[in-house]
Amino acid sequence: MIIPKENHSIMNIKVNYKKIKLKDFLMTELGLSSRLFKKLIKEKNIFVNNKPLNDIYNLVKDDMITIKFEDEKPVYKAQKMDLDIIYEDLDLIAINKNPYILVHPTKTHIENTLTNAIAYYFKSNNINKKVRLVNRLDMDTSGILIVAKNPYGQAQMAKQFKNNIEKKYIAIVDGIIKEDKGRIDLPIMKEEGGIKQIVDERGKR
């Protein structure tokens, strides 16, 4: 049972097992990764009944677990831009991305990206976390962009993208498509001196 959280940095969970190891409970109930669990234990950011504990602790029914995610310094410059937010909770934001805008800064385009806009949104709403992009879209592509507000949200959404989420794209093409279905299986690579992907025998499938 997950109790409503006070902010983006605190997670409270009430134990409903008679007896279970702390690590087993968090990995079973929350799907917490072993890597994140070790990090939180090392930082002493897992508490049971307000006391920081190690990974060998045995939980009992009605114990209250609190997980704290440390505040983080922003990585990218915050810039005020309009964001079309279609969903938001304490762990993630879903943004409707318009075409013709970069998702994240590059060497040649370090400002005026969606990541800069999200950094400004985080700063304005006291979300003291890095911008964690769960998925990315090309500059010319529109679609839904998922951004996590903490490491747990990022790990859970990444797992769903890998196992449960199917991506579909709608494209406008020139000419007549003869077949209703088909497969394009050609090697592609980045164009020399450019950013476009092209078909080339030196590329990857």
Side-chain angles (χ1 to χ4, degrees), residues 1 6 26 41-42 56 58 75 81 86 88 95 98 107 113 116 128 137 144 165 169 178 181 184 186 190 199 203:
M1 177 181 180
E6 296 88 352
L26 292 177
I41 286 291
K42 184 178 179 180
I56 61 173
N58 288 315
V75 175
M81 297 168 59
I86 60 174
E88 180 174 9
I95 298 169
N98 291 321
K107 290 181 180 179
T113 71
N116 297 119
N128 300 314
L137 296 169
I144 306 304
I165 294 176
Y169 296 87
K178 295 180 179 180
K181 293 183 179 180
I184 299 172
L186 296 168
K190 185 175 290 187
V199 174

Side-chain angles (χ1 to χ4, degrees), residues 82-87 92-98 114-115 117-118 121-122 133 135 137 142-147:
D82 291 334
L83 286 176
D84 184 6
I85 298 175
I86 60 174
Y87 176 81
L92 60 89
I93 303 174
I95 298 169
N96 183 28
K97 176 194 175 297
N98 291 321
L114 271 181
T115 299
I118 296 164
Y121 181 83
F122 277 17
L133 300 172
N135 66 316
L137 296 169
S142 63
I144 306 304
L145 190 72
I146 306 297
V147 182

Side-chain angles (χ1 to χ4, degrees), residues 9-23:
S9 298
I10 300 293
M11 176 181 291
N12 292 319
I13 313 103
K14 190 174 182 180
V15 178
N16 50 11
Y17 289 81
K18 288 185 178 179
K19 186 176 181 180
I20 187 172
K21 289 183 179 179
L22 175 64
K23 182 176 181 179

Side-chain angles (χ1 to χ4, degrees), residues 108 189-198:
T108 58
M189 63 177 285
K190 185 175 290 187
E191 185 179 35
E192 293 181 4
I195 61 172
K196 290 185 178 181
Q197 297 285 345
I198 61 172

Side-chain angles (χ1 to χ4, degrees), residues 1 3 12-20 22 25 47-50 53 57-66:
M1 177 181 180
I3 308 299
N12 292 319
I13 313 103
K14 190 174 182 180
V15 178
N16 50 11
Y17 289 81
K18 288 185 178 179
K19 186 176 181 180
I20 187 172
L22 175 64
F25 177 82
F47 303 81
V48 177
N49 304 325
N50 295 320
L53 295 173
Y57 184 81
N58 288 315
L59 302 167
V60 295
K61 195 174 187 303
D62 294 331
D63 274 345
M64 180 63 73
I65 302 172
T66 300

